[in-house]
């Protein structure tokens, strides 16, 4: 880096100057653009056939990020504020608006202006009432636009510096052409898979609303500063809170949350997150396969086929299965670690670093998707049992035990609270995991399907969706079988051939397991195992494993073919190698282009999401983490609901913390329901009396938290989510383990460097 700076001082100087200027603008305070109170708004209240609406005077908006804040009195109807413009170019002003639901008293809407807008105005429609519930409206220009610009410039500067440095190294011969080819092909595969997000809209798929709300909920809860790590996200269910973070790992979502904090819209933050995930999947798959094969082009082939596999793209765009495609990102790492532990030469005694990919991969999967983690662990356990002779070797068993112990300790902060929550209460999850999965698989037509449509009008597939391995992986298998049947070499017993055979066998097994023909009903009746099996919900999830093993086998195809062609005539060998590469690459390119174009232009409900509040807050999909008996459809924003004779005042609610003054002027115990979902883990504090209020086991309407106030009580009450003491213990264990692992790793690294220096 020092050498690069010395050679390109002018370039670096310009970049630093631009970055400093942008950072200074980022520090500017927000600027009030428009303000109107109730009196001012009363003069601009209009009535037409659709009802009452308020429309402001016109004003000018310059490029930047704006926040529109609405403050309301208690109201029964619904409001719909937004920012519009009389004349502006296409999408110069980007604002969806959002509904202000009944009884909500404050809300913020985001607007993005990319070109100067002369005739902007604020409009607020009143739905369901004729009164005037709005107290005031404020429109601020924030520094979000400058933060976005700074972030983009940093990325651009990093890319330019990388290309300049790459050019210098190429001219000096410090980097091989092979590495450049690998980097270029991986980048093209990422961009090809990302093509549908290059449009100015996006689809929501099956679970898109749910996962977008997870990102927004994590951001809002972290900003409140009341929970870390987050266990119950505060903005869900009309501000009651949803314990999605206790059951679904949020760690990978910190990146889009950071983008939201910078100022990006929820849609753009998610798109950039997906670009990072696609790049991460390609890079992790390539490095993992390369460490196993030792072949750059073999690993490149496996990585590209894994990245562009129809089931992978289907999870991204059709289902918006964030957990599953994140799990698929880490699966190659797990396979790499497990493979290296079992194939390491015991006599050499060199197991250095073999367990690290296994630990990191399993941790990534656990933090991404519990069901993928369940399947992965089950596969690893079965593999260890089948290969019991190697498993029971002292060296192998030691590495496996170390990996398991470190994995459990590092992730204790997540899985310990998860088990605690599961044991502390009853959830709708218990009804969902007992459902039949036999009919949730694909059919024979699905296995052999070659056209990866976006999910329209096909027959023979579950929900008419592209749940398949795709033509490229089938082509690899066909090429392998064709060459092997016609071969004249002697490489049948080498490691490449063995891995390809086992990869094809395991891939085929998981293909069958993803269908309706596998006896899931019989397995589901086995005590203990049956519950784990039905928890998977869809047997089609095993397509992830099939894709992994077939791509892993494909990564060995290039070195296997190279080894095999040694025994052929030179011309024949070249024709077979080049022909196979062209055929597989062409089919992969054709299939992926077909798939992503279908997705881009055949979306059922394309949206342009700029205002995060426009998402609502009840997209719980199946509602697995709702308390049993909760009725989401009847929930709404509300103040505390108290029994007659129980008085309250000075009510404040911030996130999942409620404070108020309460008086029970009767001779009996009275109850109050708070607008909080009644999960276990809330704590209550009181400032007065010996007989203090407490949280009851029984919940209020729609699962609301219910507190009991003793007779004669008068004092201040504070209720907040605190979790359990066990959470703190688990967090300490994880923190200490991470620090120890980092310390030991650094000590070994610098100790080795010191010895080499002294030597």
């Amino acid at each position: 880096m020092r050498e690069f700076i010395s050679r390109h001082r002018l370039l670096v100087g310009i970049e630093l100057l631009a970055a400093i200027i942008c950072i200074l603008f980022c520090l500017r305070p927000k600027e009030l653009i428009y303000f109107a109170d109730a009196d001012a708004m009363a003069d601009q209240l209009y009535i037409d056939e659709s009802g009452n609406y308020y429309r402001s005077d016109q004003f000018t908006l310059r490029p930047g990020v704006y926040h529109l804040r609405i403050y309301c009195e208690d109201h029964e109807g619904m409001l719909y504020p937004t920012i519009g413009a009389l004349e502006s170019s296409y999408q110069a002003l980007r604002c969806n608006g959002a509904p202000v639901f009944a009884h909500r008293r404050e809300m913020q809407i985001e607007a993005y202006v990319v070109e100067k807008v002369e005739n902007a105005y604020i409009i607020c429609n009143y739905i369901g009432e004729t009164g005037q519930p709005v107290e005031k409206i404020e429109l601020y220009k924030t520094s979000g636009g400058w933060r976005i610009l700074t972030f983009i410039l940093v990325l651009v500067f990093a890319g330019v510096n990388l290309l300049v440095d790459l050019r210098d190294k190429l001219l000096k011969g410090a980097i091989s052409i092979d590495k450049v080819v690998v980097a270029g092909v991986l980048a093209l595969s990422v961009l090809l898979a990302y093509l549908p997000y290059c449009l100015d809209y996006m689809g929501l798929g099956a679970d898109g609303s749910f996962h977008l709300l997870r990102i927004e909920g994590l951001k809002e809860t972290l900003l409140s500063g009341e929970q870390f790590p987050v266990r119950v996200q505060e903005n869900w269910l009309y501000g009651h809170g949803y314990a999605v973070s206790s059951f679904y790992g949020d760690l990978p979502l910190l990146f889009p949350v950071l983008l939201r904090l910078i100022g990006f819209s929820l849609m753009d933050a998610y798109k950039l997150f997906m670009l990072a995930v696609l790049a991460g999947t390609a890079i992790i798959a390539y490095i993992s396969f390369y460490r196993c094969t030792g072949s750059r082009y073999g690993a490149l082939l496996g990585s590209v086929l894994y990245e562009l596999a129809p089931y992978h793209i289907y999870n991204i765009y059709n289902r918006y299965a964030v957990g599953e495609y994140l799990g698929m990102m880490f699966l190659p790492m797990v396979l790499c670690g497990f493979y290296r532990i079992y194939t390491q030469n015991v006599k050499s005694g060199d197991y250095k670093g073999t367990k690290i990919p296994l630990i990191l991969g399993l941790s990534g999967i656990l933090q991404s998707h519990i069901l993928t983690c369940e399947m992965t662990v089950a596969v690893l356990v079965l593999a260890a049992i089948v290969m019991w002779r190697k498993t029971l070797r002292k060296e192998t068993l030691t590495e496996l035990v170390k990996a398991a112990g470190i994995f459990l300790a590092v992730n204790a902060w997540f899985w310990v609270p998860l088990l605690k929550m599961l044991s502390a209460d009853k959830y709708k999850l218990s009804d969902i995991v007992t459902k039949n999965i036999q009919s949730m698989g694909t059919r024979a037509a699905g296995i052999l399907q070659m056209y990866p449509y976006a999910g329209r009008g096909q027959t023979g597939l579950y929900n008419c969706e592209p749940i398949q391995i795709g033509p490229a992986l089938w082509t690899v298998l066909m090429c392998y079988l064709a060459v092997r049947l016609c071969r004249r070499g002697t490489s049948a017993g080498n490691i490449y051939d063995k891995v390809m055979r086992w990869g094809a066998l395991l891939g085929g097994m998981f293909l069958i397991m993803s269908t309706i023909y596998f006896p899931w009903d019989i397995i589901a009746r086995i005590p203990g195992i049956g519950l784990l099996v039905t928890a998977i919900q869809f047997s089609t999830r095993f397509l992830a494993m099939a894709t992994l093993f077939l791509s892993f086998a494909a990564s060995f195809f290039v070195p296997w073919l190279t080894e095999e062609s040694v025994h052929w005539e030179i011309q024949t060998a070249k024709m077979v190698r080049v022909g196979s590469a062209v055929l597989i690459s062409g089919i992969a390119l054709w299939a992926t282009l077909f798939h992503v174009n279908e997705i881009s232009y055949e979306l059922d409900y394309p949206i342009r999401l700029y205002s995060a509040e426009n998402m609502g807050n009840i997209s719980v999909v199946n509602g697995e983490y709702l308390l049993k008996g909760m009725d989401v459809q009847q929930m709404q924003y509300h103040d505390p609901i108290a029994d007659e004779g129980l008085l309250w005042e000075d009510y404040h609610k911030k996130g999942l913390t409620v404070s108020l003054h309460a008086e029970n002027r009767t001779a009996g115990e009275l109850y109050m329901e708070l607008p909080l979902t009644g999960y276990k883990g809330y704590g209550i504090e009181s400032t007065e009396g010996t007989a203090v209020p407490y949280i009851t086991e029984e919940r209020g309407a729609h699962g609301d938290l219910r507190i009991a106030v003793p007779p004669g009580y008068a004092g201040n009450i504070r209720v907040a989510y605190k979790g359990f003491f066990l959470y703190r213990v688990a967090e300490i264990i994880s923190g200490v383990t991470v620090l120890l692992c980092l310390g030991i790793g650094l000590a070994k690294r610098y100790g080795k460097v010191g010895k080499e220096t002294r030597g």
Side-chain angles (χ1 to χ4, degrees):
M1 178 60 70
R2 187 177 302 172
E3 183 182 354
F4 173 83
I5 293 175
S6 64
R7 288 199 309 270
H8 305 282
R9 289 179 180 176
L10 178 61
L11 175 63
V12 174
I14 294 173
E15 292 173 350
L16 287 175
L17 179 61
I20 290 171
I21 293 173
C22 288
I23 291 172
L24 290 175
F25 278 104
C26 290
L27 300 177
R28 295 178 63 183
K30 62 183 181 181
E31 177 187 357
L32 181 63
I33 302 298
Y34 182 86
F35 173 83
D37 57 17
D39 293 334
M41 295 175 64
D43 297 332
Q44 294 174 295
L45 187 63
Y46 304 97
I47 301 176
D48 61 14
E49 296 179 354
S50 61
N52 291 5
Y53 68 93
Y54 161 77
R55 180 165 173 168
S56 73
D57 297 328
Q58 297 175 20
F59 47 84
T60 300
L61 295 178
R62 298 185 180 278
V65 178
Y66 293 81
H67 288 169
L68 174 65
R69 296 197 66 85
I70 311 294
Y71 300 88
C72 304
E73 301 171 2
D74 193 17
H75 58 287
E76 293 292 338
M78 186 173 71
L79 317 174
Y80 198 93
T82 188
I83 303 175
L86 292 178
E87 296 179 4
S88 65
S89 61
Y90 176 69
Q91 289 196 10
L93 171 61
R94 304 178 181 186
C95 178
N96 300 123
V100 183
F101 294 106
H103 305 292
R104 188 172 187 182
R105 292 175 174 164
E106 183 179 337
M107 192 177 75
Q108 177 175 286
I109 298 172
E110 298 161 304
Y112 297 82
V113 179
V114 296
E115 296 178 17
K116 184 178 178 181
V117 177
E118 297 282 357
N119 303 314
Y121 59 87
I122 298 170
I123 186 168
C124 183
N125 293 298
Y126 304 108
I127 303 172
E129 61 177 22
T130 58
Q132 170 58 277
V134 178
E135 292 182 344
K136 61 180 178 179
I137 293 178
E138 298 172 344
L139 178 64
Y140 291 96
K141 183 179 181 182
T142 72
S143 59
W146 285 103
R147 293 196 299 270
I148 292 173
L149 178 60
T150 303
F151 180 82
I152 293 173
L153 284 179
V154 168
L155 291 182
V156 171
F157 293 160
V160 170
N161 291 337
L162 181 64
L163 291 174
V164 172
D165 191 44
L166 179 63
R167 172 184 173 276
D168 289 349
K169 289 182 177 180
L170 278 172
L171 293 176
K172 290 183 177 181
I175 187 171
S176 65
I177 295 296
D178 288 348
K179 292 182 179 179
V180 176
V181 171
V182 166
V185 173
L186 287 179
L188 288 175
S189 70
V190 170
L191 292 176
L192 183 57
Y194 188 72
L195 187 62
Y197 281 142
C198 294
L199 301 167
D200 67 341
Y201 57 83
M202 63 185 289
L204 287 179
D207 297 340
S209 298
F210 169 72
H211 291 295
L212 289 174
L213 272 177
R214 287 179 61 208
I215 295 171
E216 193 64 16
L218 185 60
K219 183 205 78 171
E220 292 295 328
T221 308
L222 287 173
L223 281 177
S224 70
E226 296 181 347
Q227 293 183 64
F228 188 80
V230 175
R231 306 295 181 188
V232 180
Q233 294 189 7
E234 63 184 39
N235 61 320
W236 292 71
L237 307 177
Y238 302 98
H240 286 65
Y242 191 39
V244 61
S245 294
S246 295
F247 299 92
Y248 216 130
D250 283 335
L251 200 58
L253 299 185
L254 290 178
F255 177 64
V257 167
L258 174 62
L259 295 176
R260 288 285 292 131
L261 294 175
I262 288 173
F264 286 95
S265 69
L266 185 56
M267 178 175 70
D268 291 338
Y270 183 80
K271 286 185 175 183
L272 289 173
F273 168 62
M274 272 311 312
L275 182 60
V277 170
L278 287 169
T281 302
I283 293 169
I284 288 174
Y286 170 76
I287 294 175
S288 299
F289 294 163
Y290 176 68
R291 288 189 174 182
C292 296
T293 64
S295 168
R296 291 198 183 278
Y297 290 111
L300 178 62
L301 176 64
S303 175
V304 170
L305 295 185
Y306 188 72
E307 174 89 343
L308 302 180
Y311 185 71
H312 183 225
I313 294 177
Y314 155 77
N315 273 332
I316 293 171
Y317 296 107
N318 289 66
R319 292 182 57 214
Y320 273 66
V322 172
E324 286 191 59
Y325 66 62
L326 284 172
M328 289 189 72
M329 180 169 68
F330 295 106
L331 277 175
M333 195 180 293
V334 174
L335 182 57
C336 171
F338 194 78
Y339 173 84
R340 292 183 68 200
I341 287 175
Y342 274 82
T343 58
Q344 193 69 32
N345 187 349
V346 178
K347 294 182 180 179
S348 68
D350 183 17
Y351 278 83
K352 180 182 177 181
T354 53
K355 60 180 173 292
I356 293 177
L358 186 59
I359 296 169
L360 293 178
L362 283 174
S363 298
I365 294 173
L366 177 64
Q367 297 295 334
S368 302
H369 196 233
I370 296 293
L371 298 182
T372 301
C373 188
E374 176 191 334
M375 291 191 298
T376 304
V377 171
V379 170
L380 294 179
V381 170
L382 289 175
I385 292 173
V386 171
M387 298 185 291
W388 63 272
R389 292 183 183 275
K390 288 188 176 182
T391 303
L392 295 179
R393 293 183 311 191
K394 179 183 176 181
E395 296 81 4
T396 303
L397 189 60
T398 300
E399 291 299 299
L400 291 175
V401 171
K402 286 180 180 179
I406 296 173
F407 162 71
L408 291 174
V410 167
N411 296 281
W413 71 273
F414 175 71
W415 64 264
V416 170
L418 168 63
L419 295 180
K420 176 63 178 177
M421 287 288 285
L422 286 173
S423 63
D425 228 319
K426 294 182 179 179
Y427 308 91
K428 289 190 176 182
L429 177 67
S430 59
D431 297 328
I432 295 171
V433 299
T434 56
K435 289 183 178 179
N436 176 25
I437 72 166
Q438 184 70 48
S439 60
M440 297 297 182
T442 188
R443 300 176 182 271
I447 295 178
L448 300 174
Q449 183 70 27
M450 294 296 149
Y451 288 87
Y453 283 87
R456 286 173 167 269
Q458 298 181 81
T459 57
L461 303 183
Y462 175 68
N463 276 356
C464 298
E465 294 170 337
I467 304 174
Q468 56 188 257
I469 63 170
L473 286 173
W474 278 118
T475 303
V476 173
L477 293 178
M478 295 302 104
C479 288
Y480 168 68
L481 291 175
V483 173
R484 204 169 190 282
L485 290 174
C486 303
R487 72 179 184 83
R488 291 176 292 174
T490 58
S491 63
N494 66 31
I495 185 65
Y496 305 126
D497 190 73
K498 288 181 180 178
V499 173
M500 286 208 66
R501 280 188 283 127
W502 276 104
L505 180 63
L506 291 171
M509 180 186 74
F510 286 115
L511 269 177
I512 295 173
M513 291 174 67
S514 69
T515 68
I516 61 172
Y517 312 114
F518 194 78
W520 289 114
D521 281 345
I522 297 174
I523 299 174
R525 288 194 287 268
I526 302 175
I529 297 177
L531 181 62
L532 295 175
V533 167
T534 52
I536 295 174
Q537 299 178 327
F538 307 106
S539 56
T540 51
R541 295 188 198 273
F542 284 98
L543 257 296
M545 293 293 176
T547 301
L548 172 68
F549 282 103
L550 291 174
S551 298
F552 187 63
S555 68
F556 281 81
F557 178 73
V558 172
W560 172 81
L561 193 59
T562 302
E563 183 82 11
E564 185 71 20
S565 63
V566 170
H567 308 282
W568 301 344
E569 296 178 2
I570 295 177
Q571 190 64 28
T572 302
K574 183 177 180 180
M575 288 177 59
V576 172
R577 287 201 300 269
V578 174
S580 298
V582 171
L583 179 63
I584 295 169
S585 301
I587 291 176
L589 179 64
W590 159 78
T592 306
L593 281 172
F594 183 90
H595 196 178
V596 295
N597 273 284
E598 273 282 301
I599 292 167
S600 299
Y601 302 110
E602 295 295 336
L603 291 174
D604 287 329
Y605 304 103
I607 64 167
R608 294 178 176 89
L609 180 64
Y610 304 115
S611 303
E613 290 283 357
N614 192 254
M615 293 292 297
N617 52 50
I618 58 171
S619 295
V620 295
V621 192
N622 294 322
E624 293 95 330
Y625 318 127
L626 294 173
L627 296 168
K628 215 163 188 179
M630 282 185 65
D631 185 359
V632 175
Q633 300 303 321
Q634 300 300 319
M635 295 183 74
Q636 62 179 347
Y637 291 99
H638 65 83
D639 291 339
I641 301 173
D643 290 345
E644 186 176 354
L646 179 58
L647 306 179
W648 57 270
E649 61 182 357
D650 296 332
Y651 167 71
H652 299 282
K653 183 176 185 293
K654 179 185 178 184
L656 301 181
T657 299
V658 166
S659 61
L660 52 82
H661 179 82
E663 294 185 20
N664 182 354
R665 298 181 178 179
T666 70
E669 189 173 68
L670 297 179
Y671 302 95
M672 176 186 294
E673 297 175 11
L674 301 178
L676 299 170
T677 305
Y679 293 109
K680 297 294 177 64
Y682 277 92
I684 186 169
E685 300 173 359
S686 175
T687 59
E688 302 290 340
T690 54
V692 296
Y694 63 92
I695 298 173
T696 66
E697 288 292 324
E698 182 182 353
R699 293 170 176 107
H702 318 303
D704 282 4
L705 194 73
R706 186 169 177 261
I707 63 173
V709 181
Y713 175 85
N716 297 323
I717 299 173
R718 183 177 183 273
V719 177
Y721 185 80
K722 297 182 177 180
F724 299 92
F725 175 74
L726 185 61
Y727 291 8
R728 310 289 90 79
V729 175
E731 290 161 10
I732 291 172
I733 291 173
S734 294
V736 170
T737 304
V738 171
L739 291 176
L740 283 175
C741 291
L742 290 175
I744 293 171
L746 290 173
K748 288 182 177 179
R749 178 180 179 83
Y750 287 105
K752 181 180 179 181
V753 171
K755 288 180 180 179
E756 291 176 352
T757 303
R758 289 192 296 271

